[in-house]
Amino acid sequence: MIRSEAPPEPRTGEHQALRRGASLEAGAAVRMTRFMDEAFGLFRAITGDGVRQTLRLLDEIVPVGQIEVPTGTAVLDWTVPQEWVARQAYVVAPDGRRLFDMAETNLRLLGYSVPFRGVVPLNELKAHLNSLPDRPDLIPHRTSYYAPAWGFSATQHEVDALEPGEYEVVVDTELFDGSLTYGELVLPGDDEREVLVTTHTCHPSLANDNLSGIAVAAEVARRVAASDHRFTYRFLFLPATIGPITWLATHSDVVPRIHCGLVLTGLGDTGPLTYKRSRRGATVIDRAAELVIGRDEAGELLDWYPSGYDERQFCSPGFDLAVGRLSRTRHGELREYHTSGDDLSFVDVDRMVDAGGAVLRLLGAVEADLSYRNLSPHGEPQLGSRGLYGGAWAPADRRAYEQAILWVLSLSDGDHDVLSIAAASGLEVRAVAEAVDRLRHAELLAPV
Ligand code: ZN
């Protein structure tokens, strides 16, 4: 075998190519921590200033545009609701103590409570209290978005300690014709087909569900913006359920261009990275997840099921998009789920950095997924003379790289795409992508 000098690196533009692998930018942990600290106390709901302020805080990571959709807009089978503002809410006990004050934590007030002022006896008050008998030390997060109601959340211990008597209730809220706010950032690529990354923004003081998802999505957007990428990327920061329904209803021109997508939520707990397959189950994002998450010893793959987060809308049968979900522990299985236990101490920013890296590997795999044709298919082409085999220059994991060169040449018959080569070879997608780049540079490979 003839050995030669290392060939120059293939040109990939001035930025790092997403398909070759990327990690979050330096300082991600610090930026995400600062964002969560500042956003935690804001009173988010499916509408309102808490969402607007939260989206504005993302400017420190990546600027996200704010779109307002007016109350009353018909969206699929739904209507954009009234906007809600909560000014103050509390209960005064017979002995004069102030209870369940939303100034203490916004989890105290039932989300979308209608205004109410009055004096009620204990048994009537109790009909408006939410608590968790099985987790008596935690305050539950509750909302009533589509049925008018008022209410408070309390620990079971607090409820059990209430004395009979008359209680003064103050729910100073307002529902009015305003708008629904969502955040959107579009990063155009050479290909007008789009990759969606979405996350929900409507939960109040809960850290894992879903400040972690918002922060990771923003850091991923920052990295994609600084990378070479083939597809157009659209990052959506949406109130749960009504958000994706509103976006889908108002973007019928974009929907046919959606190549695939990923819903991000609950990425800061200590559970394993868990990918939930799209309804179709074997789309490009599902295949990428098999290789990126499924091969990780700690990773888990779930088949589609119709409950969960916003994948419910993107994968509804009328749209049936190639959208999966990345989380850690399944949401119903955490003791802290939708309670005061999901506070800032519950999330680990290192787990979020790790999750962000996994998202980038998933997107990188989607980017890399093209089919090629070996231009020298009769016998093996001479690799050594082209600097593609051996030599001191080879990457640290030279064996994997050389294997990748052989696998790509062998399977590039036009019928195998990069993901299927990675699946067959057991190699990482980014190793296959690197081999593809070098073989193309040596003019031994051409895209089909
Ligand atoms: Zn939730």
Side-chain angles (χ1 to χ4, degrees), residues 242-256:
I242 188 70
I245 283 171
T246 298
W247 188 86
L248 286 162
T250 52
H251 290 78
S252 52
D253 55 328
V254 178
V255 169

Side-chain angles (χ1 to χ4, degrees), residues 128 143 175 247 444:
H128 293 271
T143 60
L175 287 151
W247 188 86
L444 288 172

